[in-house]
Amino acid sequence: DYRDRTTTLAGVVAYSGTLAAMSRNRDEIPQLFGAWAVSGNFFSALEVEPGMGRGFAADDDKPGAQPVAVISHSLWNRHFNSDAAILGKPVILGQREFTIVGIAPETFAGTDLFFHPDLYVPISMIRELQSSRAEDVLRDRSSRWLTVLGRLRRDVDVDTANAEMLTLARALEQTYPETNKGRTVEVLPEVSARGRLDTIGYQGAGVAILIV
């Protein structure tokens, strides 16, 4: 809702960190790697151009889409021996076969300060990596497990974006009273928000949109 209705943010993306058991085939013993489940517009909204291949498209993040993955430049180097032929090839993540469609640029290691993911998959694939998630996790409005990042439009300041988001939050509260009653939103510069997420988003009654 925030992504689709905003006029003050040039892009709004979401992600969630997890671990993924990956093997190159079903005969290989899987290894655990850090992964992010990301919205389909993750790379495009952050203006990150893959070093090779492509990022995700909106269709990649729809239920029923073919499973695809983007791997980090670091993982490509150390696990795939910098083999360009890996593009278009399958890997096993969890119990599902994913196609590697892109390699992130060497200069991009995610947007978290301390967690640098080895691979990225669309949010629609979260249950392939975390089978313990409820089947309706992608439709349950009361389930809040995503970190949200926004990019300000060049002619907009944080206070203006925050005012717009608060208006949207009030509208959502009226439209979805069972899940959004008492839920608010706060727009914060990403740097100043570090260390506050426990009280703002994960344990609090609101959504934090971090501006990058």
Side-chain angles (χ1 to χ4, degrees):
D1 288 305
Y2 293 120
R3 178 195 63 199
D4 294 344
R5 300 184 190 188
T6 181
T7 61
T8 60
L9 302 181
V12 178
V13 305
Y15 67 90
S16 180
T18 185
L19 292 175
M22 184 183 76
S23 59
R24 280 170 284 199
N25 56 64
R26 297 193 183 278
D27 295 326
E28 184 179 72
I29 297 175
Q31 298 182 46
L32 281 179
F33 295 95
W36 273 1
V38 304
S39 54
N41 66 336
F42 182 79
F43 293 106
S44 59
L46 294 180
E47 300 178 2
V48 174
E49 292 292 335
M52 296 179 63
R54 67 174 180 87
F56 297 133
D59 287 347
D60 292 323
D61 198 21
K62 293 181 178 179
Q66 292 299 310
V68 293
V70 171
I71 63 174
S72 70
H73 191 275
S74 173
L75 184 67
W76 180 57
N77 276 337
R78 70 180 191 272
H79 195 73
F80 295 101
N81 298 316
S82 302
D83 182 8
I86 194 65
L87 288 176
K89 297 293 180 60
V91 291
I92 309 299
L93 296 176
Q95 299 298 316
R96 190 80 179 269
E97 188 174 276
F98 284 67
T99 300
I100 296 176
V101 295
I103 299 167
E106 188 173 5
T107 55
F108 183 73
T111 57
D112 273 9
L113 187 60
F114 300 111
F115 184 77
H116 300 157
D118 288 309
L119 53 96
Y120 308 82
V121 302
I123 285 175
S124 61
M125 295 288 118
I126 186 61
R127 293 197 72 250
E128 305 298 336
L129 302 187
Q130 295 183 328
S131 58
S132 60
R133 292 273 186 184
E135 288 189 14
D136 64 347
V137 64
L138 298 175
R139 300 182 302 275
D140 181 6
R141 300 189 69 91
S142 66
S143 177
R144 290 171 171 82
W145 49 281
L146 295 169
T147 298
V148 181
L149 298 177
R151 182 182 290 278
L152 277 178
R153 295 191 181 278
R154 299 186 187 278
D155 58 344
V156 173
D157 59 30
V158 171
D159 289 341
T160 302
N162 193 57
E164 180 193 46
M165 291 297 131
L166 286 171
T167 299
L168 295 178
R170 286 193 290 269
L172 290 172
E173 188 175 11
Q174 293 178 353
T175 305
Y176 305 102
E178 290 186 1
T179 57
N180 285 66
K181 184 176 178 57
R183 291 281 174 178
T184 186
V185 65
E186 185 173 4
V187 177
L188 297 164
E190 189 271 338
V191 172
S192 67
R194 292 174 184 171
R196 292 184 58 197
L197 285 179
D198 281 347
T199 55
I200 296 169
Y202 301 143
Q203 296 175 6
V207 173
I209 296 181
L210 310 183
I211 297 298
V212 296

